Amino acid sequence: MRHVHAFRDDALGEFDAVGVARRIASGEVSAREVLDASLARLDAVNPQLNAVAVDDRDRAVARADGSFGGVFAGVPSAVKNNTAFAGIATRNGSAATPDVKASENEPFADQLVETGLNMIGATTTPAYGLTATTEFVDRDPTRNPWDTDFSSGASSGGAAALVASGVLPIAHANDGGGSIRIPAAACGLVGFKPTRGRTAPAEMAKSLPIDLVSNGVVTRSVRDSAAFLADVERRHPAAGMPAIGDVQGPGDKRLRIALVNAPITGGLLDRDTDKAVNGTVELLESLGHRVTTVPLPVDRSFIDDFSDYWALMAFGIDRLGRFTIGKGFDNSQIDPFTRGLSNRFARRFYRTPLAIRGLHKGTAAFRSLFDDFDVVLSPTLAHVTPEIGVLSPAGDFDEVFAKLVDYVSFTPANNVSGTPAVSLPLAQTSTGLPIGIHFSADLGDERTLLELSYELEAARPFARIQSA
């Protein structure tokens, strides 16, 4: 195991984002001291992790001596490099995207800043967020701080690596097929995907027939995820949804939980993941919750429908990039995986109306679980995070795509349906790598997931990389 972390006795310590913000507010430390600690940690570990797409420390230092509002006032963080943040080029992990600085924030970037976070730069993401590992064809991969031979997940892999290694207590992530939850599972973090529309939509996907993408954060504690959602909600209550409120601990209600432990592919979980799920069931039942094993109500046609729709996004980049990405887009720099996914769409474009219809049907089927259950439990992924290279975008497209389908079997249903979900680091492999356990609730019911997450965090405290 090759651990890489930067936890030390400095202004950040081992505090979560809420804890750091409270220290700043009390005067125990200053925002500048906290930022200096974060940057020193970054310099110590980023050469091994490669998690930073754009280093914007000079502007962060200039901001640190000013005033901040919000629940995380003065806490250092970073924006994912697929989201427009004024003064940073939104490169989307690809040399095909022009190196042109954004002139203004997109709406979710404003929501991040309103919580008081001080952005030190932008984190890495694989080309256009289309795969489940933060690897590239033209630069070094982003590595997992728990073991640098392994993937940090994706597409928010840089964010997860920086939070898990202690550089940042919280970082922006977004999720179109599992991209908050997958890297959280790989790196031992809390990865909460809100209900579609709970936070400001991602500019890259909001005009599509089905907006798969939800914006959020990755954190080391449940209370940071809860505090983030509460602070955003205070300023931007989501129309037509029940309020989440300021959730600060477990709920009293004992839940009816549906266990889905069979991948939609028909494959099997690996031994460590299966053991982790069974251990979580035992924990839940010991806490008084009722767990019932059920089949996933979505049939295997969902795989083709989702894959065809996902390929539509690659086609829009590959063939229409000068319009969808903008002036200066260089198609010759498209990576093999994005090109392969685009070609898949070109071969199957006629299925698009059928795919969209199938996804709507799948949404109805998935949400029918909540007629009888409060929460759906599954593993976040069908097997533990792979080694670097297994899902390389430079590999044979058909082989890599088949591996991705097997790996990412559980998370996409929440993107299509828009329902909230969370990955919690409740288990580890026999070699000490994190394993994420996944919980879903119906539209607008983030509160139930947060209350359950608090309870599980207290009952089985999350493993810390600095203690491994």
Side-chain angles (χ1 to χ4, degrees), residues 256-260 292-298 363-377 413 440 442:
R256 303 164 300 163
I257 298 175
L259 168 63
V260 176
T292 304
T293 304
V294 301
L296 185 67
V298 179
T363 288
F366 180 71
R367 288 193 62 203
S368 71
L369 283 172
F370 300 109
D371 293 339
D372 300 310
F373 297 97
D374 303 300
V375 168
V376 176
L377 159 68
S440 308
D442 203 4

Side-chain angles (χ1 to χ4, degrees), residues 6-248:
F7 286 98
R8 59 188 67 174
D9 184 17
D10 57 16
L12 277 173
E14 298 188 9
F15 296 95
D16 64 1
V18 170
V20 172
R22 288 176 177 172
R23 297 185 80 205
I24 294 170
S26 71
E28 184 178 354
V29 294
S30 68
R32 177 60 186 271
E33 288 173 317
V34 167
L35 176 63
D36 288 345
S38 177
L39 295 176
R41 292 182 179 199
L42 177 66
D43 291 338
V45 301
N46 196 56
Q48 292 79 45
L49 298 180
N50 303 305
V52 175
V54 179
D55 189 320
D56 198 34
R57 68 178 66 201
D58 290 344
R59 292 200 301 162
V61 168
R63 286 190 294 266
D65 293 328
S67 60
F68 296 89
V71 69
F72 300 126
V75 174
S77 187
V79 65
K80 184 176 173 180
N81 198 217
N82 64 357
T83 298
F85 190 84
I88 290 177
T90 313
R91 299 299 302 275
N92 284 286
S94 175
T97 303
D99 187 8
V100 178
K101 293 179 180 179
S103 59
E104 60 184 7
N105 293 351
E106 66 178 77
F108 182 75
D110 284 332
Q111 290 186 346
L112 283 170
V113 172
E114 288 169 353
T115 68
L117 296 173
N118 186 7
M119 301 299 161
I120 67 168
T123 58
T124 52
T125 181
Y128 305 104
L130 293 172
T131 188
T133 186
T134 308
E135 298 179 52
F136 310 93
V137 296
D138 59 351
R139 67 200 81 169
D140 290 337
T142 299
R143 297 181 179 274
N144 192 320
W146 286 84
D147 187 330
T148 53
D149 287 338
F150 286 80
S151 170
S152 65
S155 61
S156 309
L162 292 182
V163 174
S165 64
V167 173
L168 303 170
I170 184 171
H172 169 225
N174 49 31
D175 191 317
S179 293
I180 292 173
R181 295 160 287 158
I182 294 168
C187 294
L189 303 175
V190 177
F192 200 108
K193 185 202 88 69
T195 298
R196 180 168 51 227
R198 180 70 77 178
T199 55
E203 292 294 307
M204 59 183 154
K206 69 178 185 180
S207 61
L208 290 171
I210 302 174
D211 183 358
L212 301 176
V213 182
S214 292
N215 274 303
V217 292
V218 286
T219 66
R220 294 194 298 266
S221 69
V222 174
R223 75 170 179 174
D224 277 357
S225 292
F228 172 79
L229 289 170
D231 207 50
V232 170
E233 184 175 69
R234 276 191 284 272
R235 296 176 181 81
H236 307 280
M241 289 188 212
I244 302 171
D246 189 6
V247 185
Q248 297 189 12

